[in-house]
Amino acid sequence: MISIDWWILVVLGVVLITSELLVTAFVLMWFGFGFVLSGMVSYFAPSLNWGIQVLIAAVVGGVSLYIGRRFCVQSDNEVNPQIYTFEGGLGELVIRDDNGHQLVSVRCRGTYWSVANPQILQQHPGLVHGSGVSVEKIIDNKAVIKPL
């Protein structure tokens, strides 16, 4: 029966644990613990097959990875930080004629937005070029407006 010397397993475990300092994925350390434990078991049972030794290391590493990450890593670790999003404000209506087509946009906070609800011009005939409007929200990069 071929087996791996116990000290090789322990050294491999220590190498994995210390390599965690370079990788910082918080994964290799657990498998390193598995190899150290497999080496200690092999010290007391030197006739273990190499497949059993590696299986012990893999099972202990996988179980400790599953349990250890739950207790040692914050649950909101993956959450992306909230960035500034445009929420609306006061704007100025811009109406242009482009070859017979009416282009409706709104200038708000230094940016020109397409208008998501251009039918509002028919509902409120007082809305003309230069009128003040309120930008309620942005949907699919288009401004939803309503008159002031």
Side-chain angles (χ1 to χ4, degrees):
M1 225 186 285
I2 300 173
S3 66
I4 303 172
D5 290 333
W6 68 270
W7 62 269
I8 293 176
L9 293 170
V10 171
V11 167
L12 181 60
V14 170
V15 167
L16 284 173
I17 291 169
T18 55
S19 66
E20 185 66 46
L21 295 172
L22 299 174
V23 177
T24 66
F26 210 56
V27 172
L28 296 177
M29 177 181 72
W30 305 109
F31 289 99
F33 290 147
F35 274 101
V36 169
L37 182 67
S38 178
M40 292 189 319
V41 168
S42 297
Y43 178 76
F44 294 108
S47 63
L48 279 178
N49 186 352
W50 69 271
I52 301 294
Q53 291 172 321
V54 172
L55 182 65
I56 290 171
V59 168
V60 168
V63 169
S64 62
L65 172 68
Y66 179 74
I67 294 171
R69 282 184 61 92
R70 282 187 159 204
F71 293 109
C72 297
V73 176
Q74 292 179 354
S75 62
D76 62 346
N77 193 25
E78 304 91 28
V79 175
N80 292 330
Q82 182 67 26
I83 60 172
Y84 170 75
T85 56
F86 182 81
E87 295 179 359
L90 297 178
E92 179 183 344
L93 192 63
V94 178
I95 301 174
R96 292 179 294 159
D97 187 46
D98 184 32
N99 294 333
H101 292 94
Q102 192 177 35
L103 300 176
V104 181
S105 60
V106 62
R107 188 174 80 79
C108 183
R109 296 187 184 169
T111 303
Y112 286 89
W113 301 88
S114 296
V115 175
N117 56 340
Q119 68 276 8
I120 199 164
L121 296 178
Q122 285 82 26
Q123 297 168 356
H124 299 278
L127 289 177
V128 294
H129 179 78
S131 297
V133 292
S134 173
V135 177
E136 297 297 307
K137 58 186 170 181
I138 303 294
I139 298 176
D140 293 332
N141 213 21
K142 292 184 177 184
V144 176
I145 62 170
K146 80 174 193 182
L148 292 176

